[in-house]
Amino acid sequence: MATTTEAGALPGVLAEEYGARWSELTGRWASRPGTTLGTLGPAGTSSDLAARFLAAEHGLRVELFATFDDVLDQLLCGVVELALVPSAYGGLTGFHWHRDLRLRAFFPQATPEYGIAAAGGLPPGELPPGEGPVTVAAMWEVRRIYAEVVPAPLRGREVVWVEASSTQHAAAILADGGAQLAVTNAPGVRAHGLRWVATRPGAEIIWTLFGRAEPSGGSG
């Protein structure tokens, strides 16, 4: 993760803004140990890993929720003081445009390895048989990874998507027999005893940190 000491690598005004936001935020964290940070769970999601990294560096307390809608609600209710949301999340505009929230800071960090997983009980190299539809559990935001890395024997087969709320939920659906394949990340594969069918490196994305607007208002 880039830090304020690296902000000079950014163009002038951007570097000042980036550094100022981090200085203000880390100053608050230092003065109030145990600040609560909410993000998407369960444990092992890319959001959880990014949050745990910040928590270890700055003494934060992480709270995990089933959906980002829940994260938004808990932030507005004051259950958590900050929300960590990836730029890849399709509903991020709901945070940006909420009149009661403010973007506090942002930083780049890579996700773990992603890919298509199969149940651990299948022999190595074996794919769902037949020529008909194949069921794939995945979050909407990462469905495109399937087409990017799908093995040749599965290309052209219809995909029936099984909606998942997180990478870990997708892995759990697969492990429970609710789908034939899943788009998930490396922690999901390990946690549920799955095996990789195809993989791609993690992506470096921007992570955003939102807090409630200050009582005095401010720009927005």
Side-chain angles (χ1 to χ4, degrees), residues 63-88:
E63 296 283 347
L64 300 177
F65 299 95
T67 69
F68 278 117
D69 285 339
D70 292 336
V71 175
L72 176 60
D73 290 342
Q74 298 306 307
L75 177 60
L76 292 171
C77 291
V79 173
V80 298
E81 296 165 83
L82 291 166
L84 176 69
V85 189
S87 59

Side-chain angles (χ1 to χ4, degrees), residues 120 168-169 171-173 175 187-194:
Q168 307 312 295
H169 185 208
I173 291 172
V189 169
R190 292 193 298 268
H192 294 276
L194 309 178

Side-chain angles (χ1 to χ4, degrees), residues 37 50-62:
L37 177 63
R52 299 292 173 190
F53 175 82
L54 285 182
E57 291 285 312
H58 299 285
L60 310 180
R61 185 166 61 84
V62 177

Side-chain angles (χ1 to χ4, degrees), residues 1-2 6 8 13-14 40 44 71 79 83 93 98 106 141 143 152 157 169 174 180 183 189 200-201 204 218 220:
M1 185 188 78
E6 297 166 331
V13 174
L14 288 178
L40 182 68
V71 175
V79 173
T93 53
H98 199 291
F106 48 90
E141 286 85 354
R143 287 183 181 182
R157 288 181 63 176
H169 185 208
L174 172 58
Q180 294 169 289
V183 179
V189 169
R200 57 146 291 160
E204 188 173 49

Side-chain angles (χ1 to χ4, degrees), residues 90-105:
L92 181 59
T93 53
F95 287 82
H96 277 298
W97 287 103
H98 199 291
R99 62 184 301 166
D100 296 324
L101 300 181
R102 296 292 182 270
L103 177 66
R104 296 300 181 204

